[in-house]
Each structure stands twice: as C-alpha cells, then as structure tokens.
Amino acid sequence: MSAVTPSLTIAVAKGRIFKESLALLTAAGVAPRDDPERSRKLILETENPLVRLVIVRATDVPTYVEYGGADFGIVGKDTLLEYDGDGFYEPLDLGIARCRLAVAGRQAALTTNERLRVATKYPEITRRYFEKQGVQIEIIKLYGSMELAPLVGLADCIVDLVDTGKTLMANGLHELEQICGISARLIVNKAALKTKYAISVQLLTQFERLVT
Ligand code: AMP
C-alpha cells in the first residue's frame, strides 16, 4: 500500500494581500476553485487537490501557522513585526502588497513639548521605534482609520501603512518619518517542513521561482 500524501493548508491574509496573491497562487497551480468573495466556505479547495486555502484576518495568519492550523501563510511584514512568536520560518519575500510603515501627522506634529501621543494598530513596532529615538510617547491603540485620530485631537501623530500617500493627503496629513518598507511574506510552520516535506518543498520551490 502506498503512503497517503498529506494535504497542505495555506492561510492567506484577507483583503489586499489575498487579492495581490491571486496571480501568484494561480501561477503556482493553487488558485482557489471558488470565488472567496461569493463563497461562504471557510476552507477553499484549489486546483491542486493536495492544497487548500483559508482566508483569515491578517493578524490571525501567524497564529494559524505557528500552531499548525495552517502549514504556510501569506501575510504582511507589518503583521509579522508586531507578532510575538517564533513557531515559523519566513523564507520568502513575495514582493507583493508593497508599502511602508511611517509616522504621519500634521506638519509640526513631532515638535510638541508634551509627551507625544501616537495612535496606531502597531503598538510594539511604535514602542520600539520611538524608544530607539529616545522619544517618550503614549500609545493609543486603534483598530482602524488611524488617520482620523490627529484630526479630532485624539493623538499628535499616527504610525500606519502608507502606499500612495493619497489617504494622508486627503486628510491634510503628511508622512513625517519612514520606519521601514513592507511587503507580503511567505511563512512556513516549522514542523510542517518535516512532516510534509515533499509537498512543502515543492510548493516553496515553486513560489521561489516565481518571485526571484
Ligand atoms: P494610500 O492612501 O495608498 O497611502 O493607502 C493608505 C491606506 O491603505 C491606509 O489606511 C493603510 O492602512 C492602507 N494600506 C496601504 N498599504 C497597505 C497594504 N499593503 N496592506 C494593507 N493596507 C494597506
């Protein structure tokens, strides 16, 4: 009797990363068989019967992969920098969903004599960045529309993703300091590389060829 090849699950961050991953998933032969925007299925079969996709919130992708709910993950570097855990490898920069993490606000926002109030959904990255600069801050944790915080006096500035800069401009805000460049990464559960070696390496090699 031949051994059954184990199937492999890829967790992909919802939204922009999923949309930008589709071409790559298709080229790697693992495009979803159903349209995830129409389907209510939580697990999507792909063109490869051994590979399936789960589309989850970006912040949940590292958790799924670290604890083996998924073997591979596709997620932004911003989410990985904020995530506290190391149960996975990060072998590949997929070069998609490129943007940057930046400090933004009104032009003179950083010149305040008071303790700087920074609104963000990235408290860890923000804490580390300002600590390095020797600047004391108070972090206001938000879950969306960071740009609103300086406009209503909730914070002096924000730490957020910036792509074209149009959202900032539309709200009279400026990119004040760049923290780092961001793109989507492939992450791999450490155990899966051993227990599902053949299919993991095959898929990893395919992705590698497509992005390098
Ligand atoms: P933009 O107006 O093009 O600078 O985009 C800024 C808005 O889009 C902000 O609300 C960001 O949080 C969000 N954004 C920009 N780039 C990304 C990305 N790669 N992934 C997810 N959200 C992003």
Side-chain angles (χ1 to χ4, degrees):
M1 215 171 73
S2 64
V4 178
T5 311
S7 63
L8 186 136
T9 304
I10 309 175
V12 187
K14 254 183 203 160
R16 180 170 167 179
I17 290 187
F18 176 66
K19 284 191 186 124
E20 291 199 22
S21 300
L22 266 177
L24 204 59
L25 294 170
T26 304
V30 291
R33 292 166 76 90
D34 292 309
D35 176 354
E37 282 184 0
R38 294 194 181 171
S39 171
R40 287 178 178 264
K41 284 184 194 161
L42 297 173
I43 298 178
L44 299 171
E45 301 302 325
T46 73
E47 289 161 356
N48 182 336
L50 295 177
V51 179
R52 54 195 199 158
L53 302 179
V54 291
I55 316 296
V56 299
R57 270 182 86 119
T59 45
D60 289 339
V61 172
T63 310
Y64 272 81
V65 176
E66 174 161 13
Y67 294 98
D71 305 296
F72 280 29
I74 296 180
V75 67
K77 182 68 181 176
D78 53 319
T79 306
L80 295 174
L81 288 170
E82 192 66 25
Y83 185 73
D84 181 22
D86 62 354
F88 47 78
Y89 300 115
E90 187 193 318
L92 210 52
D93 182 345
L94 297 173
I96 52 174
R98 282 187 189 280
C99 57
R100 54 202 181 273
L101 258 172
V103 181
R106 291 214 168 92
Q107 201 67 267
L110 302 182
T111 57
T112 175
N113 292 324
E114 316 264 309
R115 197 164 141 118
L116 199 66
R117 282 204 293 174
V118 189
T120 186
K121 65 172 175 180
Y122 302 105
E124 269 312 302
I125 297 170
T126 301
R127 187 188 57 70
R128 288 197 297 262
Y129 177 74
F130 282 101
E131 200 173 87
K132 246 190 194 166
Q133 316 269 315
V135 178
Q136 293 242 336
I137 60 164
E138 182 184 347
I139 293 176
I140 312 236
K141 170 94 199 236
L142 290 179
Y143 295 86
S145 299
M146 256 70 71
E147 295 87 354
L148 183 58
L151 304 182
V152 296
L154 179 61
D156 299 303
C157 61
I158 61 174
V159 165
D160 194 12
L161 297 176
V162 181
D163 181 13
T164 60
K166 283 182 186 166
T167 309
L168 291 179
M169 202 157 57
N171 291 290
L173 301 174
H174 303 268
E175 192 172 341
L176 303 172
E177 290 175 1
Q178 267 191 40
I179 299 178
C180 60
I182 297 291
S183 55
R185 308 295 164 103
L186 183 74
I187 58 172
V188 180
N189 174 275
K190 286 181 177 170
L193 263 190
K194 294 184 188 128
T195 57
K196 303 181 181 180
Y197 181 79
I199 188 163
S200 294
V201 170
Q202 187 196 345
L203 204 57
L204 192 53
T205 310
Q206 244 163 338
F207 280 127
E208 234 160 24
R209 273 204 209 109
L210 290 166
V211 301
T212 50

